[in-house]
Amino acid sequence: MHIVSAKRNFELRYALGQMIPAQIEKEILIEAPIHIVWRIVTEPDQIKQWFCPDAELDSRTGGAGRMAFEHGYTYFLEVVAVEPPSRFAYRWLREEALKARPENSTLVEFTLQAEAGNTRLRVVESGFEKVDWTDEAKVKYIEENSSGWLYYLGRLRDYARRANTAASR
């Protein structure tokens, strides 16, 4: 299975000689049932296996969390939607002391759909048109996170395949 970019959002801005998309959208088909992928996306011990080495998360609407990555960034989260097993969303930002708002954070939304025993996972990171960042900061962030989501979704796919094999034994 290949990771594919979902349809492009055509609401774009032009800055620094580049188009700034309103969101990052990635989609992948994972060879594991939806209940396994749901756990992998929402439970801190599972998140640590594919996304970041240090994760704390209260996976309830309004819950808080923290994800620290090996490259040095730490994100602070506020969960905004929990609809098992099909939708999980949070706002994240790099400033711990701030409350996540559309002006200072982006929204990360995972949508899961069962598909013939597998799971189609779509991740959308949005809100770039609302954050109070310079266009240069937006371009850099979008470039980093666009390639980052491809990388981490590949890790999630591989981990889910192993977790599904172990669960079926």
Side-chain angles (χ1 to χ4, degrees):
M1 303 298 151
H2 297 293
I3 298 173
V4 295
S5 289
K7 293 174 274 181
R8 285 206 172 262
N9 181 327
F10 289 103
E11 185 179 328
L12 302 170
R13 288 189 45 207
Y14 189 76
L16 305 173
Q18 297 181 329
M19 297 299 282
I20 299 178
Q23 63 188 31
I24 299 169
E25 245 179 280
K26 306 293 180 193
E27 187 174 286
I28 186 171
L29 185 64
I30 300 170
E31 295 175 10
I34 196 168
H35 70 277
I36 288 178
V37 178
W38 176 259
R39 287 188 60 233
I40 290 170
V41 170
T42 62
E43 295 179 8
D45 62 324
Q46 298 294 306
I47 292 167
K48 291 176 188 178
Q49 302 302 312
W50 66 275
F51 200 39
C52 58
D54 188 14
E56 298 170 4
L57 184 61
D58 177 352
S59 297
R60 297 175 296 165
T61 300
R66 180 182 60 77
M67 293 182 185
F69 290 83
E70 54 277 337
H71 52 64
Y73 290 140
T74 297
Y75 286 87
F76 300 92
L77 289 68
E78 180 183 328
V79 177
V80 297
V82 181
E83 300 168 17
S86 60
R87 182 170 173 254
F88 181 64
Y90 53 79
R91 290 199 157 281
W92 67 350
L93 69 158
R94 293 185 187 158
E95 301 292 327
E96 180 176 18
L98 300 177
K99 172 146 177 61
R101 299 179 330 276
E103 301 82 35
N104 68 5
S105 63
T106 57
L107 178 67
V108 175
E109 182 174 8
F110 294 92
T111 306
L112 294 78
Q113 181 178 350
E115 190 171 299
N118 298 315
T119 303
R120 183 157 305 274
L121 175 65
R122 183 170 167 246
V123 64
V124 176
E125 184 172 0
S126 62
F128 301 111
E129 72 282 0
K130 294 177 184 166
V131 290
D132 187 21
W133 303 342
T134 66
D135 285 343
E136 183 177 86
K138 288 178 187 181
V139 167
K140 182 177 186 234
Y141 183 94
I142 290 166
E143 286 174 352
E144 289 175 354
N145 282 29
S146 187
S147 61
W149 282 118
L150 283 175
Y151 172 75
Y152 287 112
L153 288 178
R155 287 179 51 134
L156 187 156
R157 177 199 57 218
D158 296 344
Y159 175 68
R161 189 179 304 134
R162 291 190 308 272
N164 186 41
T165 301
S168 63
R169 286 183 188 163

